[in-house]
Amino acid sequence: MQRSLFFLVILGSALLVALAWAENPQVPITESGVVAHGPVRVGNLPPVIAPADNPQTSAKILLGKKVYFDTRLSKDNTVSCATCHDPSKGWSDSGPTSKGINSQMGGRRSPPVVNAAHSRLQFWDGRAPTLEEQAKGPIQNPIEMGNTHDAMLRTLNDIPGYVTEFKSVFGTSPITVDQVAQAIAAFERTVVTTDSPFDRFVQGDVSALTPLEKQGLEIFNGKGHCSACHWGGQLSDGRFHNLGVEPIEPGKPDEGRRAVTKSERDFGAFKTPTIRDVAARAPYLHTGKEQTLEDVVRLYNRGGGPEDANLDPMMLPLGLSETEIKALVAFMTRAMTSTNPEVADVKPIPAAELPK
Amino acid sequence: MKRLTLLIVSALTLLVLLPEPSQAIPALARKYGFNCNMCHTSFTKLNDYGQRFRDNGYQQPGQEGLEKTVFETFPPISLRTSTGLMIMHEPDSKSTTSGFHLNGLDLLAAGVMHKNISFLMIYTPRIDEPRAGYASVGSMDPSQPGALESANLVFSNLVQDVLSLRVGRFEPGYQAISSKRSYYLLQPYEVYEFSTPGNNFVFADNQIGIEATGHFREGIKYAAGIVNGSGANPDNNNAKDLYANVSKTFGRGEGQSSGQRVGAFGYLGWVPTSLMVPFSGATGDGDGKINKSFYRIGGHASLNYNTFNLQALFMYGSDDKAIGPVRAVSQGKYHFTGGFGRLDWAALPNNRMVASAMFNWITPPDFDKSSRVRAISTLVRYYLGDWTAVNVALHGEYTYRETGYTTIAKQHQFAALLDFDF
């Protein structure tokens, strides 16, 4: 009897240790900045955690929203963040790649800003580690907003409305680039979606998905091995893969992640995008070359695009039937489309209502 | 004492049932909440993704070092067993036997211990009961000896993709088409099970030793190993057996569920024909040296079209004359041919149902015609539910088997089983 009691205590404590271990919230990060704890079950998104040096306040969020929709950030007052990350186009644009000032075409598709707050690394190649860092990029990019930080700051500091608002949010003036970036990032951290039929299904509402969508989820998580890369609440591993996608200009491949890591393994590899709200933002991939979700699934069914050099080893022909293709598309269409009103109802702020 | 056992058993059961353990084997799927068909065309057959996952030491291809290790997850333990009704009919003797069947229990564990270091263990516990009443039904006997079927360590990507090592007891790479991951529960690959007179070597057996594997561009893969030899008595076996298997897949894929794979294998082994200790009675033809050689060579193919997969293997085997019992001078080496062809079809979304037909043959030398085998088999498996990491399949399997040549023994075998794995 005593022995079994002893045994029980040992077992019990072992279990407790294991449990504590499993629930350890610390997410290990590798040198290159991607998470190291492997695939996580697809499911709901956790709340967004703002960095300690940029806490969320409602005044800051509103200010960030104004800046986001303000074309005065660009050199010729024609382009705002929303030009390329338009709430009505799934927080992306109509593509294929995005059009900046003077109608110049960029080299990559505009990724969605919705749920970008959940990405570990920003940009297709992950070159920005935070939203704050990211937001500074487009302003100076010659073919996006074509401005310089100094010129933009001069513009903003000449607008008394902004000077007052920034002062009341950050407590200092004049306005700095970091403050602009922090305000935008604070706004972006509210552009997150947590409620889709898929989310309700995960929470136990079995009627939230149609039979076809359920089949799609089963294939996403099974035969299609989509969740090998599109995993966790974000349905993205936040890592970089080469799908063998044809370059926009034949013979001029985009080196992708290699530009950041300088590692040949990363040649032509791009960040896995989230599947959330994917239906609203056609066309697809970093090239914007695939017109519909069905086109994307057919690309996977062939084992990826035609470029063999450095193809990700997880890219394999899938043998999906027409029904299975339909099911996957159905799952990614209605089931993954969010209904969060606070995000769905975001309307551009008309120029007349922006600070003067 | 009984209570203690009960306690341990229930604690272990609890551990197994707790959520979130590790990947490759239901426990591995559980780790990530994957559906089994991520890795299996349908359980138990590996698809291309599963094949690459296994080849990469149970790590996601290209993602080494970016996953949880077994130390960060629950014990990666899985169980497999099947139960159901089996009927055997022998038309010659007009005998029919039938019984409810409990097909062995396997305990499996696998996981990653450190970047590029993983392990696999398969243990079949000894089962003495239930046995009563089965004695006359041959292969329906549900008792099993205890065995450590597999226990190996895998060191992956030692030299990029071209060298990984597996050490311990493992499923050797010369078995180009895995018998362990065949849909058929009752009908084996006959040529894998065939043992020639005086030779304990069985192609299907797992082996103890070391194996190198790797893959190159253009879909070329190899496996080469050095092992004790199946059925070998290590005390009387100074010669190790050698093997190699090379395959090429045309098109993208691994040939399991896409791409077209062809390959060739060879196995060279030595069998002691006399014992080191004085022993009265003939082993071998009496004047044999201590070790005499035998070999198996062959080719294999796995072809895919939509959700159809055709796998075929041909084998030629030859044993030194000294290995078998004393034979007439005119009877030379023991040589045979054998093989199988199998066509699988995965139907219904997410491959919920599979149907398969298979032909097996063994053609022995003229002086041993009674060992001739011809068998045709067919099966249907239907998977219930789309649970992650739990598989329950309804399994129906039928085989018609003929053995012998001048007098042919016929057998009809039918089984309806529930196969489960979690």
Side-chain angles (χ1 to χ4, degrees):
Chain A
M1 190 54 221
Q2 266 204 337
R3 261 190 23 205
S4 51
L5 199 70
F6 175 72
F7 209 81
L8 191 70
V9 169
I10 296 281
L11 251 167
S13 27
L15 255 172
L16 278 176
V17 169
L19 268 170
W21 208 331
E23 286 184 1
N24 185 347
Q26 267 185 2
V27 174
I29 305 292
T30 64
E31 267 170 61
S32 62
V34 301
V35 293
H37 69 165
V40 169
R41 193 182 294 262
V42 293
N44 303 122
L45 276 171
V48 174
I49 299 166
D53 61 358
N54 188 22
Q56 297 285 84
T57 66
S58 46
K60 194 193 286 175
I61 294 165
L62 183 61
L63 176 58
K65 183 174 172 183
K66 290 175 184 167
V67 176
Y68 185 92
F69 286 104
D70 201 328
T71 55
R72 288 173 292 180
L73 265 62
S74 68
K75 186 178 181 184
D76 60 359
N77 294 346
T78 56
V79 174
S80 73
C81 306
T83 308
C84 304
H85 304 286
D86 182 347
S88 69
K89 296 193 172 111
W91 299 81
S92 176
D93 61 16
S94 40
T97 58
S98 46
K99 208 189 284 173
I101 64 159
N102 303 328
S103 301
Q104 300 179 86
M105 293 304 282
R108 289 178 187 164
R109 165 123 191 85
S110 158
V113 157
V114 62
N115 293 323
H118 285 287
S119 288
R120 276 264 335 133
L121 299 171
Q122 303 297 333
F123 288 124
W124 282 108
D125 53 13
R127 64 185 179 275
T130 58
L131 284 175
E132 283 80 356
E133 204 51 49
Q134 192 287 325
K136 296 178 196 167
I139 301 162
Q140 297 214 96
N141 185 319
I143 51 178
E144 293 191 347
M145 296 169 131
N147 215 342
T148 64
H149 285 162
D150 288 341
M152 177 211 53
L153 290 178
R154 254 178 271 129
T155 313
L156 291 187
N157 279 311
D158 279 349
I159 302 169
Y162 269 134
V163 176
T164 336
E165 283 196 40
F166 272 93
K167 175 110 205 255
S168 79
V169 169
F170 293 100
T172 60
S173 62
I175 303 168
T176 67
V177 182
D178 285 332
Q179 290 171 353
V180 174
Q182 288 191 336
I184 293 176
F187 168 61
E188 287 173 323
R189 290 198 175 93
T190 65
V191 187
V192 293
T193 59
T194 48
D195 186 39
S196 63
F198 165 75
D199 288 298
R200 292 194 287 275
F201 180 77
V202 171
Q203 284 154 7
D205 176 2
V206 289
S207 66
L209 300 189
T210 66
L212 191 66
E213 290 163 350
K214 271 182 223 171
Q215 224 169 60
L217 172 58
E218 188 183 328
I219 296 161
F220 192 88
N221 220 0
K223 183 174 175 180
H225 70 263
C226 312
S227 55
C229 299
H230 295 277
W231 48 256
Q234 176 80 321
L235 287 94
S236 163
D237 57 1
R239 298 179 190 165
F240 304 84
H241 306 276
N242 183 327
L243 266 46
V245 177
E246 257 174 311
I248 296 172
E249 274 186 70
K252 282 198 182 164
D254 184 337
E255 64 175 335
R257 179 72 173 156
R258 188 180 68 177
V260 179
T261 60
K262 309 291 174 215
S263 159
E264 283 310 311
R265 277 183 73 125
D266 289 325
F267 175 76
F270 294 89
K271 189 172 75 180
T272 310
T274 175
I275 297 298
R276 289 181 176 273
D277 297 295
V278 72
R281 56 171 203 265
Y284 300 105
L285 304 182
H286 74 277
T287 56
K289 275 206 172 177
E290 300 296 333
Q291 300 306 315
T292 63
L293 287 174
E294 188 183 315
D295 293 341
V296 177
V297 174
R298 289 192 191 278
L299 175 108
Y300 281 112
N301 207 22
R302 293 192 295 272
E307 303 296 320
D308 269 321
N310 205 36
L311 187 71
D312 193 280
M314 288 191 272
M315 294 304 291
L316 291 157
L318 302 172
L320 298 176
S321 67
E322 290 302 310
T323 329
E324 289 171 323
I325 291 172
K326 277 203 187 77
L328 268 177
V329 171
F331 168 68
M332 291 193 288
T333 306
R334 194 196 68 104
M336 286 312 304
T337 299
S338 64
T339 45
N340 287 65
E342 68 279 16
V343 174
D345 297 346
V346 172
K347 295 274 172 335
I349 303 180
E353 289 168 32
L354 289 170
K356 289 190 200 49
Chain B
M1 212 50 213
K2 263 244 169 75
R3 273 173 73 164
L4 180 63
T5 323
L6 196 76
L7 208 79
I8 297 173
V9 169
S10 40
L12 280 177
T13 317
L14 196 71
L15 273 180
V16 170
L17 293 179
L18 276 167
E20 277 283 316
S22 173
Q23 186 172 6
I25 305 224
L28 301 185
R30 256 194 303 275
K31 176 169 163 188
Y32 302 139
F34 290 160
N35 182 284
C36 306
N37 287 4
M38 181 86 99
C39 286
H40 299 278
T41 302
S42 243
F43 170 73
T44 50
K45 184 179 168 185
L46 290 179
N47 64 18
D48 286 348
Y49 181 78
Q51 187 66 48
R52 288 209 176 154
F53 181 82
R54 180 181 186 271
D55 291 350
N56 200 36
Y58 313 104
Q59 306 171 99
Q60 274 197 295
Q63 306 295 300
E64 306 81 33
L66 299 176
E67 347 204 335
K68 286 185 192 168
T69 63
V70 283
F71 309 111
E72 296 159 276
T73 57
F74 279 98
I77 299 171
S78 298
L79 297 178
R80 184 188 186 190
T81 188
S82 66
T83 180
L85 180 69
M86 238 183 83
I87 301 166
M88 171 115 73
H89 177 65
E90 292 177 344
D92 301 325
S93 58
K94 293 202 168 59
S95 85
T96 301
T97 32
S98 73
F100 287 106
H101 187 81
L102 188 64
N103 198 9
L105 176 70
D106 283 340
L107 292 166
L108 309 93
V112 178
M113 296 187 291
H114 183 270
K115 179 179 179 181
N116 286 329
I117 304 179
S118 47
F119 75 98
L120 169 73
M121 196 202 76
I122 303 176
Y123 176 66
T124 55
R126 175 177 162 151
I127 297 177
D128 297 328
E129 296 284 351
R131 176 168 198 165
Y134 283 89
S136 62
V137 197
S139 65
M140 290 168 70
D141 180 354
S143 67
Q144 67 184 19
L148 194 56
E149 234 184 79
S150 285
N152 58 72
L153 278 178
V154 192
F155 300 91
S156 314
N157 307 310
L158 293 171
V159 182
Q160 289 161 14
D161 294 347
V162 303
L163 180 66
S164 295
L165 289 177
R166 208 176 260 268
V167 294
R169 185 168 159 89
F170 50 82
E171 182 186 4
Y174 58 81
Q175 295 172 19
I177 297 173
S178 170
S179 58
K180 304 290 185 291
R181 289 181 293 279
S182 154
Y183 291 141
Y184 290 84
L185 286 173
L186 304 176
Q187 177 59 36
Y189 298 144
E190 297 278 356
V191 73
Y192 277 32
E193 302 286 338
F194 187 59
S195 69
T196 50
N199 189 347
N200 285 331
F201 175 75
V202 178
F203 199 79
D205 282 353
N206 283 357
Q207 294 256 22
I208 301 183
I210 180 162
E211 179 180 276
T213 54
H215 50 102
F216 299 91
R217 289 224 139 251
E218 311 301 336
I220 294 170
K221 273 171 58 166
Y222 79 92
I226 172 164
V227 291
N228 276 348
S230 122
N233 172 0
D235 296 339
N236 195 20
N237 178 28
N238 287 322
K240 301 290 172 278
D241 294 0
L242 306 169
Y243 64 83
N245 179 18
V246 179
S247 66
K248 170 161 170 70
T249 304
F250 296 88
R252 284 187 185 167
E254 287 288 321
Q256 285 294 113
S257 50
S258 64
Q260 317 301 337
R261 184 181 76 211
V262 292
F265 62 88
Y267 186 96
L268 178 60
W270 286 269
V271 176
T273 51
S274 65
L275 298 170
M276 283 172 173
V277 233
F279 181 79
S280 60
T283 48
D285 65 1
D287 62 354
K289 298 257 167 43
I290 285 185
N291 289 306
K292 286 289 184 182
S293 71
F294 68 96
Y295 65 86
R296 306 282 180 266
I297 53 171
H300 54 90
S302 179
L303 310 177
N304 291 287
Y305 175 74
N306 282 343
T307 53
F308 288 93
N309 172 231
L310 176 71
Q311 296 196 322
L313 182 135
F314 172 84
M315 189 193 295
Y316 173 81
S318 172
D319 287 12
D320 191 285
K321 190 178 175 189
I323 294 172
V326 181
R327 286 199 298 268
V329 179
S330 61
Q331 300 174 359
K333 291 184 167 185
Y334 191 100
H335 57 87
F336 67 94
T337 61
F340 57 88
R342 204 192 69 235
L343 180 68
D344 296 341
W345 177 49
L348 300 183
N350 206 24
N351 301 349
R352 280 287 192 90
M353 192 188 80
V354 292
S356 175
M358 174 163 75
F359 178 65
N360 271 278
W361 84 92
I362 292 170
T363 304
D366 285 346
F367 57 81
D368 187 30
K369 276 193 167 164
S370 61
S371 298
R372 179 183 179 272
V373 179
R374 295 288 181 271
I376 49 172
S377 317
T378 177
L379 70 70
V380 177
R381 266 168 89 82
Y382 178 77
Y383 295 81
L384 304 168
D386 67 279
W387 310 301
T388 45
V390 179
N391 243 300
V392 180
L394 298 174
H395 181 105
E397 182 175 331
Y398 166 78
T399 292
Y400 172 69
R401 188 172 188 268
E402 286 183 4
T403 44
Y405 190 73
T406 31
T407 51
I408 291 178
K410 296 173 184 149
Q411 242 178 26
H412 297 271
Q413 190 168 281
F414 173 78
L417 303 167
L418 258 179
D419 186 9
F420 62 97
D421 189 46
F422 63 91

